[in-house]
Amino acid sequence: MRRAVCPGSFDPVTNGHLDIIGRAARLFDEVIVGVLVNQSKSGLFTVEERIDMLREVTASYGNVRVASFRGLLVDFCRAQQASVLVKGLRAVSDFDYELQMAQMNMGLAGVETLFMPTNPLYSFLSSSLVKDVAKWGGDVSSHVPDLVREALQARLGPPPPA
C-alpha cells in the first residue's frame, strides 16, 4: 500500500491545504493528515478542534484520515507505516526551509518528501494570514471552507472598532 503523510499545524485548515491533501489522495492509496501538537505555541484552535474540522472537510475522500502527533515527524511516519511526506510549496522561500527538512527526514529515517507546487489560486495563502484577515472582519470565504469560516467568526467575534 502506498501511504503518505501530509503534516502541518492546520490552525486553521485552508483551501490551499485541502488542495494539497486532495491531490495527494489521488496519488496514494492512503493519506494521513498529521496535525502537529506543538506545546510551545498556543493556537487559535485546539488540536482536537483542528482534527474535527479536518475530518469534516476531508470526509469526501475515502482514503484520507486525520491523526495528531508530537515529537519527530519521522517517528509519526514510522508509526503510520508511511514512507512519503507530501508538502505544498507556495514560493521559493518555502523551498529553502523544506529542502533542509526533507534531507534531515531522509537521513533520519529514509522518509521521502514529495513537493507539490501550490495551485496559483492559493500561492499567497497561509493560516496566519487567514486569521489576521478574519480578526479584522475581512472576508475569508474564498480561502477556507464554510465550516472553518464559521469557526473563525465564532472564535474571533466581531472585528474591533476602528
Side-chain angles (χ1 to χ4, degrees):
M1 174 178 279
R2 296 173 311 158
R3 186 175 288 144
V5 170
C6 286
S9 58
F10 304 103
D11 187 35
V13 61
T14 69
N15 290 340
H17 292 129
L18 292 175
D19 175 59
I20 297 297
I21 293 166
R23 289 162 57 198
R26 290 192 300 271
L27 296 174
F28 293 93
D29 298 318
E30 184 177 29
V31 174
I32 301 108
V33 178
V35 180
L36 173 64
V37 177
N38 185 346
Q39 290 163 325
S40 66
K41 280 181 153 181
S42 62
L44 180 62
F45 296 102
T46 67
V47 171
E48 293 76 19
E49 288 170 326
R50 288 182 252 161
I51 288 171
D52 289 345
M53 283 189 271
L54 276 159
R55 284 184 176 148
E56 189 160 336
V57 299
T58 61
S60 63
Y61 299 109
N63 64 335
V64 172
R65 65 183 166 88
V66 182
S68 66
F69 73 97
R70 63 185 75 229
L72 291 177
L73 177 55
V74 293
D75 291 339
F76 178 70
C77 289
R78 273 192 209 112
Q80 301 299 317
Q81 299 178 331
S83 59
V84 177
L85 291 168
V86 176
K87 299 291 217 81
L89 294 178
R90 295 172 292 198
V92 172
S93 56
D94 287 347
F95 182 74
D96 290 337
Y97 173 75
E98 293 295 347
L99 179 61
Q100 288 179 335
M101 295 301 296
Q103 291 170 332
M104 180 62 78
N105 292 333
M106 175 58 85
L108 287 173
V111 174
E112 293 283 358
T113 301
L114 171 65
F115 294 123
M116 285 190 168
T118 302
N119 180 321
L121 292 172
Y122 311 120
S123 63
F124 65 91
L125 194 55
S126 72
S127 295
S128 299
L129 186 57
V130 165
K131 287 184 284 194
D132 283 345
V133 170
K135 177 175 75 174
W136 295 103
D139 180 13
V140 296
S141 59
S142 64
H143 308 302
V144 297
D146 288 341
L147 165 81
V148 174
R149 180 186 48 76
E150 292 165 8
L152 283 164
Q153 288 173 336
R155 181 63 42 94
L156 296 172

